[in-house]
């Protein structure tokens, strides 16, 4: 900084790491994609030829799994912030297992939907079922990317690269996972 410059003349940034900004932009993009799907759902539903059906119980179980995984990754973050690395590792592993269980549950839910005569495409398909399959599939893809992110953070944690002075990766993973 030039000695003649005052503090107010210095360029002030966001104070966020570029990787955090990139993550927030990614999350915003995903929000827009889900908003588009939701808008399409609402518009198409009002056009008629819409079959109402009960959602399978397996989706409720999946919701419970994903909420528990959100709690476990938050616990991992808090543990890393306190340098309780063993607990952080354990919580990240729990989150990973719950995420995988969620994916398995999604696959099981597809079977439950078919058993209830709700199909994605074909002669027996209805737009209501197709929308549900698309939303579940996109969410499953979103979760797979989160699992990859989580695996990278777990690897970093296992090699003691995540701790109270290095929280960016686990902080970003936590933000993405909650989203």
């Amino acid at each position: 900084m030039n000695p003649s410059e005052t503090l107010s003349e210095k360029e002030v940034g966001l104070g966020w790491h570029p990787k955090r900004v990139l993550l927030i932009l990614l999350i915003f993009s995903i929000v827009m994609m889900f908003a588009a799907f939701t808008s399409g759902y609402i518009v198409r539903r009002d056009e008629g030829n819409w079959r109402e059906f009960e959602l399978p119980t397996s989706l409720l179980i999946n919701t419970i799994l994903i909420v528990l995984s959100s709690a476990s990754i938050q616990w991992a973050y808090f543990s890393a912030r306190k340098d309780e690395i063993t607990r952080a590792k354990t919580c990240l592993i729990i989150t990973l297992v719950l995420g995988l269980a969620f994916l398995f549950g999604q696959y099981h839910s597809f079977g439950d939907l078919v058993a209830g005569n709700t199909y994605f495409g074909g002669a027996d398909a209805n737009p209501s079922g197709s929308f549900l399959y698309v939303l579940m599939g996109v969410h499953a893809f979103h979760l797979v990317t989160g699992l990859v992110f989580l695996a990278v953070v777990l690897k970093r944690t296992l090699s003691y690269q995540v701790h109270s002075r290095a929280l960016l990766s686990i902080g970003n993973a936590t933000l993405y996972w909650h989203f």
Side-chain angles (χ1 to χ4, degrees), residues 27 30 34 137-147 176-177 179:
I27 288 172
I30 295 169
F34 277 104
V138 170
H139 187 245
F141 176 76
H142 172 69
L143 192 82
V144 167
T145 60
L147 287 170
Y176 187 78
W177 195 261
F179 169 71

Side-chain angles (χ1 to χ4, degrees), residues 64-115:
I64 292 168
L65 288 172
I66 208 70
V67 168
L68 290 173
S69 73
S70 189
S72 65
I73 197 167
Q74 188 65 49
W75 194 15
Y77 176 78
F78 287 151
S79 297
R81 215 170 71 184
K82 294 178 186 176
D83 282 327
E84 296 170 347
I85 305 306
T86 303
R87 182 176 293 149
K89 291 177 199 176
T90 302
C91 291
L92 286 170
I93 291 169
I94 290 169
T95 305
L96 194 60
V97 168
L98 288 169
L100 290 169
F102 176 87
L103 274 183
F104 175 76
Q106 288 290 88
Y107 178 75
H108 182 72
S109 295
F110 287 146
D112 289 348
L113 287 168
V114 170

